Amino acid sequence: MTAALFACGAGVGLGLFVIGVVLHRAASPRWRIRLNPRRLSLALAAVSATAFVTGWPVGALLVGGFVYATPTLLGGKRLAERTIVRTEAVAAWTETLRDTLAAAAGLQQAVLVTAEVAPAAISHEVATLADRVRARWPLPQALRAFADELSDATADLVVSTLVLAYERRAGNLAALLGALAHSAREEAAMQRRIVADRARIRAGVAVVTVFTLSAFALLVLFNRSFLRPYDSFGGQLVLAVVGAMFSLGFLTLHRLARLPVTERVLTAGVRPSAALGSGAP
């Protein structure tokens, strides 16, 4: 009885700790929680079905969590490809801006011209930037809003350069934009090499995830007596520990397979001069 009370108390304490961490991260802009309605519906359906078939509250929550997280675990390549395409699009837009400036156009006029030929991956953001320029927004303010919408470290460097050049009337802006574009393309190439090297890790994550859920489903459907020890309170505690270990393993595999995200250098409240002077790459 004492052990059961201790286990319940530990579980409540752990649950409160997890809730506190989630609420703290949800309050931070960097940790915004965005729930996918479709995935959430599937996860809730999986929770209900598992609870009905097995009667295990812990097992139902674990299955629901796996169902919700599986697209994220298996979708790392797609997300990485979107990141690379956006980096390449920023590089192409920077080159177009450089070429337009080389034709003796002013910075504001160059922004308006490039909006018509911007790469598809960032065409909406560039068009919005051009609309703000036409609406007579101050160019530094419009560029910072553009950087926030892209939320990309490479775009931050380009925007910081443009803002500083506009405010300080820099004379070698075209050459500097050319160097930034070259650096962005090199970064995209490096990211593609990383994605290729980690393809086996992503495949391992997919195989482990599919086999784990398949083995659990087969045991529940065809060998229910093998899982009977988990029907007790102690069995649910053991299942919670096993589930936590599997979850930690899946999270570790996902982190290994994920493309490293470069920290932004231009965030809300940070001026471009401060960002570039902080030693950020």
Side-chain angles (χ1 to χ4, degrees):
M1 186 66 178
T2 304
L5 291 175
F6 175 78
C8 289
V12 171
L14 179 61
L16 291 175
F17 173 76
V18 171
I19 291 174
V21 171
V22 170
L23 291 177
H24 174 72
R25 291 185 170 185
S28 172
R30 186 181 175 185
W31 295 97
R32 293 173 186 165
I33 296 179
R34 298 183 179 92
L35 295 179
N36 185 302
R38 182 180 178 183
R39 286 165 58 180
L40 182 60
S41 300
L42 292 174
L44 291 176
V47 168
S48 301
T50 306
F52 176 77
V53 173
T54 65
W56 299 345
V58 174
L61 292 175
L62 289 174
V63 171
F66 274 123
V67 170
Y68 188 87
T70 294
T72 301
L73 292 173
L74 303 182
K77 184 178 181 179
R78 192 180 312 165
L79 178 60
E81 183 63 26
R82 285 201 300 266
T83 301
I84 295 171
V85 169
R86 171 156 290 199
T87 301
E88 292 175 338
V90 170
W93 178 72
T94 304
E95 290 170 343
T96 305
L97 195 62
R98 174 203 62 191
D99 296 339
T100 307
L101 286 171
L107 183 53
Q108 289 182 326
Q109 184 62 31
V111 169
L112 297 178
V113 171
T114 58
E116 302 175 1
V117 292
I122 60 172
S123 59
H124 175 71
E125 290 82 358
V126 176
T128 303
L129 171 63
D131 290 339
R132 287 171 178 152
V133 172
R134 293 190 189 97
R136 299 187 182 280
W137 279 42
L139 185 58
Q141 182 181 352
L143 287 170
R144 291 188 184 102
F146 171 69
D148 288 338
E149 290 170 355
L150 286 179
S151 188
D152 181 84
T154 303
D156 280 356
L157 290 175
V158 175
V159 167
S160 299
T161 301
L162 294 176
V163 172
L164 288 174
Y166 180 81
E167 293 177 341
R168 301 183 182 182
R169 300 290 187 265
N172 59 342
L173 179 57
L176 187 54
L177 289 177
L180 286 174
H182 178 71
S183 175
R185 292 199 180 279
E186 287 187 338
E187 180 180 354
M190 178 190 66
Q191 290 173 341
R192 289 198 181 278
R193 289 194 295 270
I194 292 174
V195 170
D197 290 340
R198 296 186 177 182
R200 287 178 295 179
I201 299 178
R202 285 194 302 273
V205 172
V207 170
V208 171
T209 301
V210 171
F211 270 87
T212 299
L213 295 179
S214 300
F216 174 77
L218 290 174
L219 286 173
V220 169
L221 294 175
F222 300 109
N223 197 0
R224 186 70 174 83
S225 59
F226 180 80
L227 302 175
R228 192 163 297 146
Y230 291 107
D231 293 340
S232 64
F233 177 77
Q236 287 297 287
L237 289 178
V238 172
L239 184 61
V241 173
V242 173
M245 294 174 65
F246 267 99
S247 300
L248 182 60
F250 285 131
L251 179 61
T252 302
L253 287 173
H254 176 63
R255 287 181 180 274
L256 289 173
R258 188 176 58 186
L259 188 68
V261 178
T262 306
E263 292 290 335
R264 293 186 58 193
V265 298
L266 187 62
T267 56
V270 178
R271 293 185 59 83
S273 56
L276 293 178
S278 63

